[in-house]
Amino acid sequence: MTTVNLDSLDLSALLCSRVCHDVISPVGAIVNGLEVLEDDNDASMREFALDLIRKSARQASARLQFARIAFGAAGSAGAAIDLADAEKVSRGMFADEKTQLAWSAPQALFPKNKVKLLLNLVMIATSAIPRGGLIDVTVSGDGEAPTLVLKAKGSHARIPPHVEELLAGRPESGTVDAHGILPYYAGLVARAAAMGVRLSIEGDEVTIRAEPVSASAEPDAPAPSATPEDARPTDSEPSDTQLA
C-alpha cells in the first residue's frame, strides 16, 4: 500500500482543523449563554445560562490545554514534558464525560514526542469505546525506553476503522482528511520517537501498546517533516500547562 506524505502546510491545516473542531462546540455554547443573559430577564433562565457558560468555558480550556501538548511544542524546559502534566490535561478532557480515566505512570520528565504520542493514543482509545467506558493508561520503564499500554473497555468496543492503516501512514484511500489526521499524526510522532504501536481486541476491551523499536525494525513509512526532538522549540514556562 502506498505511503502518504503530507507537506507541512497540509499537515498544519488538518491539525488546526482538528483543534477547531474540538473547541467549536463549547465556544458556541458560551455564545448562546451570553445571548440568553442579554435577552432574558427570567432569574431561572439567567442562572441556567451562567451555568452553561461556566461549564463550557472549562471544557474549552481543557480541550485547548490538551491540544497544546498533544499537537504543539508546549512543555517544560528542554525537550521533555512532565507526565504529571499529561495526566492533568487528560483528566481535564474527560471531566463530566461518560468516559472514566485510570492513570498509572511515574512522576518524571519524559521526552516530548513520547508524551505527545501517549496523549494522541488516549484520544484513539476514546474513539475505541464510542459509548463510553474506562480507559486504563499504564506507563512503565524510563523515558528512553518506555512501554505505553492503554486499555479501553466499554460497550461496543472496537478498533476504530482505518486507524491501523493511518498509524502506519498508509491509508486505504491514499489520502488523509480531518477525520483521519489524529491517528496519522500519532503515527508520525511514534516514528519520530522510535516507537511501534500495535492494537488488539478481546471481547469488549481494546488494547493499544506502544514500545521502542530498533532502527532496523522500523517500518518503511513517511517520516515527519519536523526537526529532531532535541532541536525543536519549547515554551520555557512552568509545567502547570496554563495557556500562554
Side-chain angles (χ1 to χ4, degrees), residues 175-206:
T175 61
V176 180
D177 58 17
H179 296 289
I181 188 58
L182 193 150
Y184 177 84
Y185 178 72
L188 292 180
V189 176
R191 289 185 285 281
M195 298 282 284
V197 181
R198 299 289 182 270
L199 288 84
S200 62
I201 184 169
E202 184 175 348
D204 61 356
E205 183 175 87
V206 173

Side-chain angles (χ1 to χ4, degrees), residues 6-47:
L6 294 180
D7 64 32
S8 58
L9 287 176
D10 286 339
L11 179 62
S12 59
L14 288 169
L15 286 175
C16 287
S17 178
R18 169 73 198 206
V19 174
C20 291
H21 172 272
D22 287 345
V23 299
I24 281 175
S25 178
V27 170
I30 292 171
V31 173
N32 291 338
L34 290 172
E35 289 176 350
V36 171
L37 288 179
E38 291 175 353
D39 300 335
D40 201 314
N41 293 322
D42 181 83
S44 62
M45 286 300 297
R46 292 179 66 85
E47 181 58 34

Side-chain angles (χ1 to χ4, degrees), residues 77-88:
I81 299 174
D82 195 328
L83 284 176
D85 288 348
E87 178 182 5
K88 179 180 177 181

Side-chain angles (χ1 to χ4, degrees), residues 80-203:
I81 299 174
D82 195 328
L83 284 176
D85 288 348
E87 178 182 5
K88 179 180 177 181
V89 298
S90 295
R91 292 194 181 282
M93 278 287 289
F94 296 110
D96 301 321
E97 293 288 346
K98 58 186 179 180
T99 301
Q100 301 299 311
L101 183 68
W103 190 281
S104 176
Q107 297 291 312
L109 292 171
F110 268 42
K112 184 184 301 181
N113 275 344
K114 292 182 173 67
V115 179
K116 291 170 68 173
L117 173 61
L118 176 62
L119 294 182
N120 279 272
L121 294 181
V122 168
M123 294 301 292
I124 292 173
T126 305
S127 64
I129 43 175
R131 298 194 179 185
L134 172 67
I135 296 176
D136 189 344
V137 178
T138 302
V139 180
S140 57
D142 59 26
E144 295 307 312
T147 297
L148 316 176
V149 179
L150 297 85
K151 295 182 179 292
K153 185 173 184 177
S155 174
H156 293 75
R158 81 282 192 273
I159 295 176
H162 313 300
V163 71
E164 292 173 291
E165 294 89 348
L166 286 161
L167 280 167
R170 301 183 180 95
E172 185 176 355
S173 65
T175 61
V176 180
D177 58 17
H179 296 289
I181 188 58
L182 193 150
Y184 177 84
Y185 178 72
L188 292 180
V189 176
R191 289 185 285 281
M195 298 282 284
V197 181
R198 299 289 182 270
L199 288 84
S200 62
I201 184 169
E202 184 175 348

